[in-house]
Amino acid sequence: MEALVTVLLIIFIAGFFLRHFGKYLLRFFLWRMAKRFGANSNAFDQNRRSRKAARQEQPAPEQIIPNNVGEYVDYEEVKKENGL
C-alpha cells in the first residue's frame, strides 16, 4: 500500500512539472540538439520574434463592404389575388 501511494505521488508530481515546465524543457532540448548538430541555436528565437513582428506590422484591412449593406429591410407580404 505504501509503494502504491509513493508511485501515485511521483506520477502526480511529474505530471505537474511537465505541465508547467514542459515547454521550457522542449526548448532546452531543441537548443541542445541544434548545438550538437552545428545548427544556429538562435534560429528558434529569431523565427518566433519575426512572426511576432510580422503580426504587429500588419495594417488593419480596408473595409470592402460598406456599412449600409446588410442592414435590416422592412417589407410587406404580397397577397395573391388568385388565392393560390
Side-chain angles (χ1 to χ4, degrees):
M1 182 70 178
E2 188 175 322
L4 177 66
V5 172
T6 305
V7 169
L8 288 176
L9 189 60
I10 289 172
I11 290 173
F12 285 133
I13 290 173
F16 173 81
F17 279 111
L18 286 177
R19 188 178 321 124
H20 291 287
F21 301 113
K23 60 183 174 182
Y24 301 114
L25 286 172
L26 181 62
R27 188 177 299 161
F28 171 74
F29 285 122
L30 285 175
W31 173 78
R32 190 171 168 195
M33 293 303 288
K35 189 175 178 182
R36 178 179 290 175
F37 290 111
N40 185 5
S41 60
N42 293 329
F44 303 112
D45 291 334
Q46 290 173 356
N47 188 19
R48 184 176 44 139
R49 288 181 191 143
S50 65
R51 280 187 284 163
K52 282 185 180 178
R55 281 190 222 142
Q56 292 173 353
E57 292 175 5
Q58 291 178 349
E62 62 181 63
Q63 187 175 5
I64 298 173
I65 301 173
N67 287 333
N68 59 356
V69 173
E71 292 187 14
Y72 178 76
V73 179
D74 194 19
Y75 69 95
E76 293 182 22
E77 290 185 25
V78 178
K79 295 181 182 177
K80 294 185 180 181
E81 301 211 4
N82 295 346
L84 294 175

